[in-house]
Amino acid sequence: MTASVLTVHLFAIVRKLLNFATATIPDMKATGQILTSIVTAFLALLPANAGNVINILDLGARNDGSEDISAIVNANTDKGAIYLPAGVYRVDSPLKLVNSLRGDGYDRSSWPGPDDTWLISGIECSDGSAGVVEYTRSSGINVEYLNIKCHSCEDGIRIKPCEQMTSALISHVGIYDIRACGIRIDGTGSRPVYVEDVTLFGSGELPEGSTGIFIRAYDCRLTNIEAMGIQIGLDIRGGYTYGSNLHLWTGYIGKRDEGEWWRGTRGIVLSKSGIFCGSQVYPDTSYYLFEQKDGNKGGFDIHGLIYYDDGCESRSRYLDGALFHAGDGATPNLNILGGMMAVCGTDEHPLGMTKMYTPGQNIRGVTIRNNRSICGRNIDVLCLSDELPDYTVRSDVEGWRRFADIFDVAPSGTVTAKVSTDDGAVWDAVITKSAKGISTRFKALTPVCRDYRLKSGSGDGLLSLLIMKRSGTGFSLRFTTVSMTEYFRPVDYGHLRGLNYEPLL
């Protein structure tokens, strides 16, 4: 018995208990009447026949994949929820649901297991205008604990039109061989669909525009979603969408691509009025991780970004992807707080992500793991946004110690910073670049500063700042950026981690 059916039975039992309590315990009468009213109101919200569960095998269907079940489902879905025991069911025409559809289990692999329920599509569709499962009304249809294997360019689950208060749940569902949309939610509804614990797999081909979840509705919720081998992870075209624990991998399954398909890969795309708010978001190996287009004025608000470029696009001719892209007419709006990004490749063999630096956007507290060398030409991979670098350096050796590197790639710019040591030395630092060259000025603010010497030196697209303590004893230094300009800015050693260099920290 699934959770939804069990809920109905539990509320019926509760109502009987309340009736018994009000009849036998006088003090319970008023409370019981109130609770009984609440339960009655809740049950009234459930769709007609929601408590009826029809075993499809009792209707003459077979679960060995030998016969099409479309006619049986479509003739009986108005009588109650259809239950599909474990097995394989052939679907040659869309299942047009009036009530819920429930199976015995789903699998995160694309091979049928003995304890799972599988719908194997035979639907012929060339344009995404049909779905293996289609909603025909706008209230309380749930699809749970089953797998769908697509056949052509049909959607896996199609909710169109998605109307006000669709109130649907898609839970514990796997959809495979996707060439159109895994799940299409299309309409004008508010809070229409919750999608949780869902696995979406593309096909072995490279279909243009294949999408994990398409949303043109308001306030949908997505939780624990894994989308693999699909060109676009999420395509959001209307209102707010909320997501948590999303893994959107747009690499290749099967065939290898020489570039064109890779250039169309996106983690999350916003267009029209789409807005995305999420946490623990993992857009994995996309040409653009986040994109706003078609005049989108919404934007992204993400807590906990995870990214790993696994190199599967290395055969592509186009190694010019980016963390963020805003098309013509869009209002750029990318807010990211916390997380980690890892970019594969080296100076000699760079991979697809070549531009992580997105000046003007609000990205804070994200650690960057990178194998590129610390030099001016790699600024787009070593930086994220306009967050002001603030970090600590420890020195336990005699002589000069490098404590900051300023990217020397812009024709002009200014960096101001506060430099302080643990024994009380404090300086204001001003580094300026103009047509006349670079000037560096340190203003001592405390008497302890006389115990130190500071200087600068340049090379390989960097201006380095160095310090030496006259006594030769160890010390800690804090470098705090006060202001900076685009492309003439310090390396953020507080967030940067790598393998091919000696970090300052």
Side-chain angles (χ1 to χ4, degrees), residues 152-310:
S152 57
C153 288
E154 76 275 29
D155 298 331
I157 298 177
R158 183 179 179 86
I159 306 176
K160 183 179 182 180
C162 175
E163 300 175 356
Q164 183 76 8
M165 297 306 292
T166 299
S167 303
L169 172 68
I170 300 172
S171 177
H172 294 85
V173 172
I175 304 177
Y176 304 91
D177 284 359
I178 297 169
R179 298 171 179 83
C181 288
I183 299 174
R184 185 185 298 270
I185 304 169
D186 195 350
T188 58
S190 176
R191 295 176 294 167
V193 184
Y194 282 22
V195 182
E196 64 180 24
D197 299 302
V198 166
T199 298
L200 306 163
F201 264 75
S203 70
E205 301 174 1
L206 298 172
E208 294 292 330
S210 56
T211 301
I213 302 178
F214 173 98
I215 298 174
R216 181 159 37 210
Y218 298 91
D219 297 345
C220 290
R221 270 73 162 174
L222 314 176
T223 305
N224 298 339
I225 308 298
E226 180 180 37
M228 308 289 284
I230 297 168
Q231 194 173 44
I232 301 172
L234 301 180
D235 186 345
I236 301 170
R237 303 190 182 187
Y240 283 91
T241 294
Y242 307 94
S244 175
N245 191 19
L246 311 180
H247 183 193
L248 312 173
W249 181 71
T250 56
Y252 314 129
I253 294 178
K255 293 182 179 179
R256 302 292 292 178
D257 172 57
E258 297 298 330
E260 292 300 331
W261 191 82
W262 151 249
R263 294 186 77 190
T265 59
R266 305 288 188 270
I268 304 177
V269 178
L270 301 181
S271 57
K272 309 300 182 181
S273 60
I275 300 171
F276 178 79
C277 301
S279 62
Q280 302 305 311
V281 180
Y282 186 0
D284 186 351
T285 312
S286 297
Y287 185 78
Y288 294 146
L289 273 63
F290 304 105
E291 182 180 33
Q292 293 176 249
K293 66 177 188 178
D294 297 337
N296 178 260
K297 310 297 184 184
F300 299 90
D301 188 1
I302 296 171
H303 290 245
L305 172 68
I306 307 167
Y307 174 76
Y308 176 65
D309 177 355
D310 63 10

Side-chain angles (χ1 to χ4, degrees), residues 25-37:
I25 307 173
D27 293 342
M28 287 288 292
K29 186 173 183 179
T31 302
Q33 288 174 343
I34 295 172
L35 293 176
T36 299
S37 299

Side-chain angles (χ1 to χ4, degrees), residues 101-121:
L101 190 68
R102 305 181 179 98
D104 267 340
Y106 98 109
D107 201 327
R108 291 181 60 242
S109 69
S110 57
W111 298 99
D115 300 323
D116 305 323
T117 298
W118 280 82
L119 303 179
I120 307 299
S121 174

